[in-house]
Amino acid sequence: MRVGEQSTDPIDQILGEVPVPVPLTPEDVRLAVRAVVVHAAEEWPAGPKCRNDGATYPCRLHRWGRRVLQTHGLNERQIDALVRHGNPFVHVPFPFVLTGPASARPQAPVTQSPRGQAGRVAAPGVRPAIRPGGTGRPVAPPATRPRWPRAS
């Protein structure tokens, strides 16, 4: 059975599909990643079955996770790369943004540090690079590239 086909499992026919939440939250995306990785296919003589609960593949949670990740902006190859990676706790950035023009990104405000050093750029919601009253050591900048497996 393919991912988009209707299941013949009686439980699936009675319960139907798990609805995708309308406003996606970071928690929904984390749960979806976990669902597609944990409920991945496992080969059996009778055909592929869900690795977690033994239902016919893809089970309800795997289908739900794929729909959530597609709604979030990932394509099939990226979702398959997540499944192959096998880590249910891999980080998918929220909001997920594909590489785009730099002009489309909002500009970060320039902040004034307590020591009078101007011109440092701080991303929204990130602490300034110099700690007030501290030793003046710079804080590591936030990661700019997502750390999740790339589709090959």
Side-chain angles (χ1 to χ4, degrees):
M1 183 168 111
R2 292 193 180 131
V3 174
E5 294 179 3
Q6 180 65 33
S7 173
T8 58
D9 189 21
I11 295 295
D12 286 347
Q13 291 177 349
I14 292 170
L15 296 177
E17 292 294 325
V18 180
V20 175
V22 176
L24 285 180
T25 64
E27 183 67 22
D28 295 327
V29 174
R30 281 193 296 270
L31 289 173
V33 168
R34 198 163 176 193
V36 296
V37 172
V38 171
H39 293 266
E42 187 175 64
E43 286 299 322
W44 283 80
K49 294 196 177 276
C50 175
R51 182 175 27 184
N52 190 43
D53 57 12
T56 55
Y57 178 78
C59 66
R60 293 175 73 226
L61 280 175
H62 186 89
R63 291 190 308 260
W64 174 82
R66 277 193 179 270
R67 286 194 321 269
V68 168
L69 292 174
Q70 286 171 346
T71 304
H72 187 55
L74 275 71
N75 61 29
E76 288 294 324
R77 291 180 57 207
Q78 292 167 327
I79 296 171
D80 291 340
L82 286 172
V83 173
R84 278 193 312 271
H85 187 264
N87 182 1
F89 302 106
V90 71
H91 175 70
V92 175
F94 192 88
F96 182 74
V97 179
L98 293 175
T99 55
S103 61
R105 296 184 189 130
Q107 295 295 324
V110 176
T111 59
Q112 178 78 22
S113 74
R115 296 183 181 176
Q117 296 172 343
R120 294 188 182 261
V121 176
V126 176
R127 295 185 305 186
I130 294 182
R131 297 179 189 134
T135 61
R137 294 186 324 218
V139 176
T144 56
R145 295 180 60 199
R147 293 182 293 185
W148 53 280
R150 296 180 56 103
S152 56

